[in-house]
């Protein structure tokens, strides 16, 4: 039993330490997202034209949009993580991003032109990009491993809850107030689910 | 004394915020595996089911904008809360999406012939979790929404506080120094690698 106690305590602690940068990042970035007026730099949304030139992308209408977009980015020497959006038959928008910056490519398919735009760097954007980064659809290995770590953070939270509850239960003196905290949290949450 | 206080805050806040942390972890899993989760369902979004259709003959002054009309309709229905409203210029129809946590309610008001239609979105776990993940902020004029936003803020602040108080307790207890440094250093190094690569 003592060994189990020790194992769960150490798991709680070391898992927390290993994932501390992610937990701090998700905490701080959530504050930025929840209170955009507190931190946002004024020019964060502005896009500046870097280049405008002729370009005739090869778009196969039967192909998946992301496959076509990936081929276009490779042709332009801009391989990497991206989002693709085709709001109309004449317009294709690709956003090629990293943690540090974001480049928007807007293709006028009728005229065969592309406009390349960049965003001014701002620290709040960098942290928010880290928060929103995830999923397994981006074409780089770094994104794949990042998504695995995101999963790991989620499972770590579930593990902290389970081991935290176990450690509280072992502290007999604190059971009553711990039970009050659990019940108060659960009741508050249920009331919000019903009443919001 | 300070050490005890930090330990208690770490533990009791953790126990209290269990439901919120469950939501954030499960919803993040859903969003991280969006394509796989979407494949479980036949439609991209949950469908709506008719709850009720009834007469609603209220006449609004022409200078009352769609937001105020929506507030009045929701008030009459006893359904005040966070919502979004769309209006049609052609026939004056209003569509109000009332964002309830367990499924959006859609209220469609047609001034001519004075009917109101109430629909409820089917419950879908992944949609509920994702919307709860995104629910935040003090932008709605309702006390209950502000109260929920306060709890979201508390969870956010505690995410950072748990990390820092965890380091404090580890240092204070003088246990597992070697493995503590290894896990802290390993995590920081891995994060630094991602910062460079991504």
């Amino acid at each position: 039993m003592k060994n189990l106690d020790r194992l769960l305590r150490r798991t709680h602690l070391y898992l927390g330490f290993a994932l501390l940068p992610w937990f701090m990042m998700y905490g701080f970035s959530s504050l930025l997202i929840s209170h955009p007026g507190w931190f946002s730099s004024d020019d964060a949304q502005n896009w500046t034209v870097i280049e405008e030139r002729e370009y005739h992308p090869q778009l196969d209408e039967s192909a998946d949009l992301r496959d076509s977009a990936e081929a276009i980015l490779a042709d332009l020497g801009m391989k990497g993580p991206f989002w693709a959006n085709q709001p109309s038959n004449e317009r294709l928008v690709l956003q090629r991003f990293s943690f540090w910056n974001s480049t928007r490519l807007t293709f006028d398919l009728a005229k065969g032109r592309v406009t390349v735009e960049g965003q001014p760097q701002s620290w709040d954007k960098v942290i928010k990009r880290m928060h929103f980064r995830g999923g397994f659809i981006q074409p780089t290995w770094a994104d794949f491993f990042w998504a695995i770590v995101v999963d790991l953070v989620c499972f770590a939270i579930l593990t902290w809850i389970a081991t935290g509850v176990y450690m509280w239960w072992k502290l007999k003196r604190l059971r009553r107030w711990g039970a009050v905290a659990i019940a108060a949290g659960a009741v508050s949450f249920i009331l919000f689910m019903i009443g919001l | 004394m300070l050490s005890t206080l930090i330990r208690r805050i770490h533990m009791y806040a953790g126990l209290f915020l269990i439901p919120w942390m469950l939501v954030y972890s499960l919803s993040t899993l859903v969003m991280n595996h969006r394509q796989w989760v979407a494949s479980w369902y036949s439609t991209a979004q949950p469908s709506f089911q008719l709850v009720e259709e009834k007469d609603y003959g209220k006449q609004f002054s022409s200078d009352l904008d769609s937001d105020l009309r929506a507030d009045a309709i929701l008030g009459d229905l006893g359904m005040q809360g966070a919502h979004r409203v769309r209006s049609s210029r052609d026939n004056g129809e209003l569509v109000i999406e009332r964002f309830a946590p367990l499924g959006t309610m859609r209220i469609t008001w047609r001034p001519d012939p004075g009917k109101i239609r109430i629909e409820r979105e089917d419950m879908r776990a992944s949609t509920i979790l994702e919307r709860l993940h995104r629910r935040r902020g003090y932008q709605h004029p309702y006390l209950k929404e502000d109260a929920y936003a306060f709890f979201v803020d508390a969870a956010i602040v505690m995410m950072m506080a748990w990390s820092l108080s965890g380091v404090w307790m580890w240092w204070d207890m003088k246990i597992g120094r070697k493995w503590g440094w290894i896990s802290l250093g390993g995590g920081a190094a891995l994060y630094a690698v991602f910062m460079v690569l991504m």
Side-chain angles (χ1 to χ4, degrees), chain A residues 21-42:
Chain A
W22 279 268
F23 222 53
M24 290 296 287
M25 177 272 288
Y26 281 123
F28 189 59
S29 58
S30 299
L31 206 59
L32 300 183
I33 294 161
S34 248
H35 298 277
W38 289 4
F39 304 96
S40 283
S41 42
D42 291 339

Side-chain angles (χ1 to χ4, degrees), chain A residues 132-153:
Chain A
F132 294 125
R133 200 87 173 250
F136 291 85
I137 63 166
Q138 297 299 344
T140 70
W141 281 105
D143 278 277
F144 177 78
F145 285 115
W146 178 265
I148 286 177
V149 177
V150 171
D151 274 353
L152 193 59
V153 172

Side-chain angles (χ1 to χ4, degrees), chain A residues 9-10 12-28 30-31 33-35 38 81 97-100 126 130-137 140-143 145-155 157-158 161 164-165 167-168 171 173-175 177-186 188-189 192-196, chain B residues 8 10-13 15-26 28-29 31-33 35 80-82 98-102 128 132-138 144-145 147-149 151-153 156-164 166-168 170-171 173 175-181 183-188 190-191 194-198:
Chain A
R9 284 173 183 280
R10 294 293 186 269
H12 193 95
L13 176 72
Y14 297 138
L15 198 55
F17 278 11
L19 295 173
L20 191 138
W22 279 268
F23 222 53
M24 290 296 287
M25 177 272 288
Y26 281 123
F28 189 59
S30 299
L31 206 59
I33 294 161
S34 248
H35 298 277
W38 289 4
F97 54 84
S98 72
F99 283 158
W100 307 102
V126 171
M130 290 176 188
H131 184 113
F132 294 125
R133 200 87 173 250
F136 291 85
I137 63 166
T140 70
W141 281 105
D143 278 277
F145 285 115
W146 178 265
I148 286 177
V149 177
V150 171
D151 274 353
L152 193 59
V153 172
C154 297
F155 286 116
I157 293 173
L158 300 176
I161 292 171
V165 168
M167 289 190 289
W168 155 68
L171 298 168
R173 283 183 306 117
L174 306 179
R175 276 193 191 166
W177 284 108
V180 169
I182 292 175
S188 308
F189 188 78
F192 278 124
M193 292 305 99
I194 297 168
L196 279 180
Chain B
R8 294 293 179 271
H10 187 100
M11 185 183 80
Y12 290 129
L15 294 173
F16 183 88
L17 290 168
I18 284 175
W20 280 267
M21 298 317 294
L22 279 173
V23 163
Y24 289 125
S25 58
L26 296 175
T28 305
L29 281 172
M31 290 188 277
N32 206 33
H33 297 270
Q35 284 68 32
Q80 294 104 323
R98 169 72 178 81
F99 304 123
L102 302 179
I128 291 169
L132 281 175
H133 189 111
R134 295 178 197 281
R135 197 166 191 130
R136 60 177 173 263
Y138 299 85
K144 58 187 179 182
E145 293 292 338
Y148 189 77
F151 279 85
V152 170
D153 279 355
I156 290 169
V157 170
M158 281 315 300
M159 282 176 75
M160 292 180 279
W162 283 317
S163 304
L164 299 175
V167 174
W168 167 281
W170 164 69
W171 194 252
M173 284 189 293
I175 52 149
R177 282 283 155 87
K178 189 175 104 180
W179 286 105
W181 280 119
S183 49
L184 267 176
L190 182 62
Y191 198 85
F194 278 120
M195 297 272 279
V196 173
L197 290 179
M198 297 178 74

Side-chain angles (χ1 to χ4, degrees), chain B residues 24 26-27 34 51 85 95-96 101 118 121 125 128 147 155 159 164 172 174 187 191 198:
Chain B
Y24 289 125
L26 296 175
S27 58
R34 193 185 299 281
V51 176
V85 60
V95 179
I96 307 163
I118 302 170
E121 188 182 36
I128 291 169
M159 282 176 75
L164 299 175
D172 193 45
K174 300 180 177 63
Y191 198 85
M198 297 178 74

